[in-house]
């Protein structure tokens, strides 16, 4: 299975992820929501979240488990 | 603080929000060697913007400077050598009250309420009577009472029960002194970009994605910091991450913060709703406190033919319920207009409106003689980013001997 972006409860809805996403795959109406059809799990949102509210689950494209 | 030769003094700044960058730019102009550590992949914190669907959506602030170009931030930006242009709002503010739109002027408030204010002032001066404002607001007429709520919600993201008379008085005095708001051309991002330009031109360094993990202190002085660069020594440490998080870096808390929270709606609208460059205070609403339409000053903040309407709501209860109520009010206000809500951003828990609620600020000092805090946890008695600028001006004067004429 591929890597998947997950939003956890620490999300306050600041919208940084929406603003940095190159694929318009995030919307923020109070909380961040991922459009999995558009998301490529490029990790840009994960590294920009000021509250560490975005994590990944599953394995990455190399087939290795995520940290 | 010791006054070593400025050119040899190394200053570490933790966090690249507006406070950190403004301090960094001014000190770099004076010859200090500046290193700024930022945990995120971009600088500016809650005072920058990023493009979304052709709109400049801010990460926090509302593309507005509370006291315009003549206010404390305007003065410090010029001092820092920032080239950013600020357009003062005209009118400064308007009230939406019933079906009427009324320009904010002293004459619109009934005499009875103005006399109340002088009565409170007298009680404060004579008996040091300084209650929270909810005790006083009931003495006001309907319009003045609603304006007080709307103003506090818009400007400070608080309710009357969260500010004392003396603090409101100090903020009011600064409004009389510096007047109303202005809009930076290019939005929040243009402001921070102009400061970064100054810092880099003075050979300052900004390390992105490089959080400070620890501060090491000894005998009341901070000696060094640990980041991805390893352990490094600096002469002065300036923290832009608030008193509480700074204490955590030291492994020793020394201050608890009480944040203020809020919600911001960024709206794309085809025809202007506010129609001017000032603030529209929504007195009819119980949740939403006000809005601005910055594209009336700078059309480049939205795609051609669209306006960017930003609405602010102080947050008191649970986010979901508050957003639902806020949206209901918005639907009523914008009836008949073609609009699209671009984003609903909320601000609390690590990304608040203010780390320290206005009126409770504890100043820039810490228990360490060479560690100072700037930003929204160490504001002076002015609104939002102008309060940040006042806090910085006080620190620069007292700790760096750098007097800034604030008018």
């Amino acid at each position: 299975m591929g890597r998947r972006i997950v939003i956890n409860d620490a999300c306050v809805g600041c919208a940084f992820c929406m603003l940095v996403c190159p694929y318009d795959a995030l919307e923020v109406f109070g909380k961040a929501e991922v459009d999995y059809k558009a998301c490529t799990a490029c990790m840009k949102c994960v590294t920009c979240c000021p509250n560490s509210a975005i994590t990944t689950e599953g394995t990455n494209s190399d087939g290795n488990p995520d940290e | 603080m010791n006054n070593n030769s400025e050119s040899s003094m190394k200053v570490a700044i933790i966090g690249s929000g507006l406070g950190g960058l403004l301090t960094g730019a001014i000190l770099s102009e004076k010859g200090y060697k500046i290193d700024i550590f930022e945990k995120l992949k971009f600088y500016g914190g809650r005072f920058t913007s990023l493009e979304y669907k052709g709109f400049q959506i801010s990460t926090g602030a509302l593309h507005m400077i509370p006291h315009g170009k003549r206010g404390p931030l305007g003065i410090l930006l010029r001092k820092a050598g920032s080239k950013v242009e600020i357009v003062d709002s005209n009118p400064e503010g308007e009230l939406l009250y019933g079906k009427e739109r009324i320009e904010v002027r002293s004459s619109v408030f009934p005499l009875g309420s103005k006399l109340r204010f002088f009565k409170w002032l007298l009680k404060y001066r004579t008996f040091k009577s300084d209650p929270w404002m909810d005790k006083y607001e009931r003495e006001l007429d309907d319009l003045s009472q609603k304006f007080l709520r709307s103003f506090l919600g818009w400007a400070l993201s608080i309710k009357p029960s969260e500010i004392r008379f003396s603090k409101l008085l100090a903020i009011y005095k600064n409004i009389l002194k510096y007047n109303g708001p202005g809009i930076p051309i290019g939005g929040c991002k243009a402001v921070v970009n102009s400061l970064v330009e100054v810092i880099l031109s003075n050979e300052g360094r900004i390390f992105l994605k490089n959080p400070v993990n620890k501060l090491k202190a000894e005998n009341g002085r901070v000696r060094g910091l640990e980041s991805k660069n390893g352990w490094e020594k600096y002469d002065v440490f300036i923290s832009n991450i608030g008193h509480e998080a700074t204490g955590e870096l030291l492994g020793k808390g020394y201050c608890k913060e009480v944040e203020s929270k809020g919600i911001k709606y960024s709206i794309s609208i085809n025809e202007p709703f506010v129609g001017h460059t000032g603030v529209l205070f929504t007195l009819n609403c119980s949740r939403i406190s006000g809005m601005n339409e910055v594209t009336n000053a700078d059309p480049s903040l939205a795609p051609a033919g669209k306006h960017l309407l930003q609405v602010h709501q102080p947050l008191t209860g649970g986010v979901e319920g508050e957003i639902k109520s806020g949206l209901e009010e918005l639907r009523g206000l914008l009836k008949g207009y073609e609009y699209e809500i671009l984003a609903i951003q909320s601000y609390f828990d690590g990304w608040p409106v203010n780390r320290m609620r206005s009126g409770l600020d504890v100043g820039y000092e810490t228990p360490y003689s060479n560690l100072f805090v700037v930003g929204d946890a160490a504001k002076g008695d002015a609104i939002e980013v102008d309060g940040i600028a006042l806090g910085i001006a006080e620190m620069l004067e007292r700790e760096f001997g750098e007097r800034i004429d604030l008018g």
Side-chain angles (χ1 to χ4, degrees):
Chain A
M1 88 180 248
R3 187 159 62 185
R4 193 179 141 95
I5 299 292
V6 187
I7 316 280
N8 67 41
D9 286 347
C11 174
V12 302
C14 74
F16 266 34
C17 51
M18 176 192 97
L19 298 175
V20 299
C21 177
Y23 305 100
D24 279 344
L26 285 140
E27 281 193 342
V28 176
F29 295 106
K31 289 237 176 219
E33 273 182 38
V34 188
D35 171 4
Y36 288 106
K37 280 192 215 110
C39 178
T40 68
C42 72
M43 304 291 284
K44 277 205 161 69
C45 56
V46 177
T47 55
C48 85
C49 179
N51 273 16
S52 307
I54 312 181
T55 53
T56 55
E57 61 178 24
T59 53
N60 64 24
S61 52
D62 307 328
N64 297 319
D66 282 320
E67 284 166 24
Chain B
M1 209 183 71
N2 296 331
N3 272 328
N4 293 340
S5 152
E6 287 163 12
S7 57
S8 66
M9 289 262 274
K10 279 177 73 187
V11 179
I13 298 180
I14 306 158
S16 67
L18 180 68
L21 293 174
L22 185 58
T23 309
I26 294 174
L27 289 179
S28 77
E29 283 283 280
K30 300 303 294 177
Y32 292 87
K33 289 172 94 101
I34 305 295
D35 279 354
I36 302 182
F37 297 84
E38 169 57 52
K39 74 170 177 178
L40 299 177
K41 59 198 285 184
F42 50 88
Y43 51 75
R46 282 161 287 161
F47 203 83
T48 184
S49 32
L50 292 162
E51 194 180 311
Y52 178 70
K53 296 182 177 173
F55 294 83
Q56 287 295 323
I57 305 290
S58 89
T59 51
L62 291 140
H63 294 309
M64 199 168 231
I65 297 176
H67 293 304
K69 64 178 157 208
R70 286 174 198 85
L73 180 59
I75 293 169
L76 262 68
L77 284 170
R78 286 191 290 282
K79 173 91 183 166
S82 157
K83 301 272 189 301
V84 76
E85 188 195 338
I86 301 165
V87 175
D88 281 339
S89 300
N90 183 23
E92 294 176 348
E94 201 181 31
L95 310 176
L96 181 60
Y97 184 56
K99 287 202 176 346
E100 274 183 286
R101 293 257 196 136
I102 312 163
E103 188 176 337
V104 181
R105 288 170 192 278
S106 165
S107 56
V108 306
F109 301 102
L111 184 64
S113 287
K114 280 187 267 195
L115 289 175
R116 295 275 175 213
F117 182 81
F118 288 110
K119 188 187 90 181
W120 305 337
L121 185 63
L122 204 64
K123 278 171 79 175
Y124 173 63
R125 295 241 166 102
T126 319
F127 307 112
K128 292 278 161 256
S129 167
D130 191 17
W132 301 97
M133 281 306 296
D134 56 331
K135 189 179 169 219
Y136 277 163
E137 68 161 338
R138 289 170 230 132
E139 297 180 20
L140 297 170
D141 67 283
D142 187 62
L143 175 101
S144 306
Q145 195 179 105
K146 285 182 168 150
F147 175 66
L148 175 71
R149 286 200 156 246
S150 183
F151 171 79
L152 289 176
W154 168 264
L156 310 174
S157 218
I158 58 173
K159 294 179 294 185
S161 59
E162 295 172 320
I163 190 164
R164 286 190 186 276
F165 175 74
S166 59
K167 283 292 169 186
L168 185 68
L169 181 67
I171 287 168
Y172 175 66
K173 280 183 180 164
N174 276 326
I175 294 174
L176 294 181
K177 182 172 172 183
Y178 297 118
N179 296 327
I183 296 167
I185 298 300
C188 298
K189 190 179 195 162
V191 175
V192 294
N193 278 354
S194 73
L195 293 170
V196 167
E197 207 176 293
V198 172
I199 293 165
L200 297 180
S201 74
N202 290 322
E203 289 171 20
R205 299 186 294 180
I206 301 173
F207 303 109
L208 298 176
K209 286 168 80 176
N210 194 344
V212 170
N213 300 317
K214 266 183 197 150
L215 288 172
K216 193 153 75 182
E218 228 173 56
N219 303 326
R221 280 182 75 79
V222 179
R223 303 291 170 183
L225 63 75
E226 189 199 47
S227 73
K228 276 187 191 164
N229 305 358
W231 276 100
E232 283 172 288
K233 283 188 172 173
Y234 288 90
D235 301 298
V236 183
F237 297 79
I238 291 169
S239 170
N240 189 204
I241 64 171
H243 284 282
E244 210 170 297
T246 305
E248 282 166 23
L249 293 183
L250 287 152
K252 203 166 147 187
Y254 63 88
C255 174
K256 197 106 186 85
E257 288 164 358
V258 182
E259 67 180 19
S260 53
K261 316 174 199 184
I263 303 168
K264 182 181 69 180
Y265 304 83
S266 295
I267 299 167
S268 161
I269 191 161
N270 293 353
E271 295 296 319
F273 176 74
V274 175
H276 55 71
T277 54
V279 180
L280 182 65
F281 293 100
T282 46
L283 270 51
N284 300 341
C285 299
S286 66
R287 296 302 203 288
I288 289 167
S289 54
M291 49 178 74
N292 67 12
E293 202 167 61
V294 287
T295 34
N296 294 319
D298 182 2
S300 78
L301 298 171
K306 304 262 185 200
H307 280 273
L308 174 60
L309 179 68
Q310 299 174 108
V311 179
H312 181 72
Q313 177 180 345
L315 183 57
T316 45
V319 190
E320 273 173 46
E322 289 290 313
I323 289 177
K324 206 169 152 235
S325 315
L327 282 173
E328 248 167 61
E329 289 187 338
L330 265 177
R331 270 195 292 275
L333 285 171
L334 301 179
K335 208 170 171 187
Y337 284 79
E338 256 181 72
Y339 67 95
E340 180 199 348
I341 295 180
L342 298 164
I344 304 172
Q345 292 160 273
S346 37
Y347 301 95
F348 59 98
D349 280 0
W351 205 253
V353 172
N354 276 313
R355 283 204 185 89
M356 189 65 110
R357 213 161 77 189
S358 285
L360 299 179
D361 291 275
V362 289
Y364 69 84
E365 285 174 298
T366 71
Y368 304 87
S369 61
N370 64 338
L371 170 66
F372 312 117
V373 171
V374 296
D376 64 339
K379 298 181 295 304
D381 289 330
I383 303 164
E384 302 293 341
V385 287
D386 276 307
I388 291 177
L390 278 185
I392 292 172
E394 191 191 355
M395 177 197 69
L396 290 173
E397 179 169 350
R398 285 172 48 187
E399 306 296 338
F400 294 85
E402 189 57 42
R403 213 188 111 65
I404 295 169
D405 183 5
L406 290 167

